[in-house]
Amino acid sequence: MRVLLTVFIWLSAMCSAQAQTKAQILQSITDAYAQAQESAANDGKGGNQRKCLDITLHDEGGYAGRNLTDVIHIYYYEDHTSAEDGALQVNNKPYFILREFSYEGYSLRQEFLFERNTSDELREDPLIYAFNREVREGKVDEKRYYWENEKLVQCDLSTPGELVEDEYMKETAAQYYKVFENAFMDVSSRFY
């Protein structure tokens, strides 16, 4: 009986340690999101260079009496890392991507947050947060995804039982990331 009680206490302690870790991960992502929102809001202000690539996919504000807009904003930062030969390498890398689409009674807002590289080593920035908000005929559908080490940690759905589309969101974020890399192919890396 004593062994069984000891095992139960040990398992309870392990579960609570994992819950704290998940809470810490979510808090870290929430803090990074708030910081990205603030950086995006202050982009280009106070004499600083604007670091946002705006891509207008559609802007037909009045075409045949319809209002259609589809814009992607890709906010980026300079990643300072050491190249293999020890030289300083500076890469422009996205950290926050925002897509805004609206057409008649439908609107879509997607947000993608990537973890910024804070090490001195060159590495890919993983996706850590995605948000998808659709409004169709007054009905609002929101989904939030949180990742750590490319594994889904949590998904918040506005309607219980909805389809969890974390792989779709990861693929969409990767496509937008590629658009940025292709747009900055010749000027994204500098060596000093």
Side-chain angles (χ1 to χ4, degrees):
M1 185 68 170
R2 194 177 239 175
V3 172
L4 186 59
L5 183 62
T6 304
V7 169
F8 179 72
I9 291 171
W10 180 78
L11 285 174
S12 296
M14 291 300 293
C15 289
S16 94
Q18 287 179 342
Q20 289 174 344
T21 302
K22 181 178 178 180
Q24 291 170 345
I25 291 168
L26 294 176
Q27 185 60 50
S28 173
I29 293 171
T30 302
D31 292 345
Y33 177 73
Q35 188 178 32
Q37 290 282 65
E38 184 179 336
S39 293
N42 293 323
D43 186 55
K45 294 181 181 174
N48 294 323
Q49 176 186 358
R50 189 155 191 270
K51 293 190 176 184
C52 180
L53 175 64
D54 296 316
I55 302 170
T56 302
L57 301 175
H58 297 285
D59 187 7
E60 300 175 17
Y63 175 74
R66 297 182 176 140
N67 190 10
L68 170 67
T69 57
D70 194 358
V71 181
I72 301 171
H73 307 280
I74 304 176
Y75 296 92
Y76 60 94
Y77 73 104
E78 289 185 353
D79 180 18
H80 298 254
T81 57
S82 299
E84 292 176 8
D85 62 358
L88 176 64
Q89 182 175 351
V90 180
N91 296 303
N92 290 323
K93 295 169 83 177
Y95 68 91
F96 185 65
I97 298 174
L98 167 64
R99 179 180 180 206
E100 298 172 305
F101 175 85
S102 65
Y103 178 67
E104 294 184 342
Y106 175 78
S107 69
L108 171 70
R109 179 181 178 97
Q110 293 179 318
E111 298 176 353
F112 303 94
L113 178 65
F114 297 87
E115 182 179 39
R116 288 187 187 205
N117 186 6
T118 56
S119 71
D120 279 345
E121 299 175 11
L122 182 63
R123 70 164 177 89
E124 294 293 318
D125 294 345
L127 180 67
I128 58 173
Y129 174 77
F131 171 75
N132 192 73
R133 182 177 198 260
E134 291 184 70
V135 179
R136 185 185 313 265
E137 298 173 1
K139 182 180 180 265
V140 178
D141 179 31
E142 290 186 353
K143 298 176 183 179
R144 289 178 172 78
Y145 303 92
Y146 303 84
W147 290 274
E148 218 249 329
N149 296 326
E150 299 184 27
K151 291 187 173 105
L152 187 64
V153 175
Q154 182 169 316
C155 177
D156 298 329
L157 307 172
S158 61
T159 306
E162 281 184 294
L163 184 62
V164 175
E165 300 172 323
D166 61 309
E167 290 301 320
Y168 166 74
M169 294 301 284
K170 285 166 73 173
E171 290 169 8
T172 303
Q175 289 174 349
Y176 295 149
Y177 202 98
K178 276 282 187 225
V179 165
F180 179 84
E181 286 179 336
N182 290 335
F184 277 91
M185 189 178 333
D186 295 333
V187 295
S188 65
S189 295
R190 297 181 306 281
F191 296 91
Y192 299 99

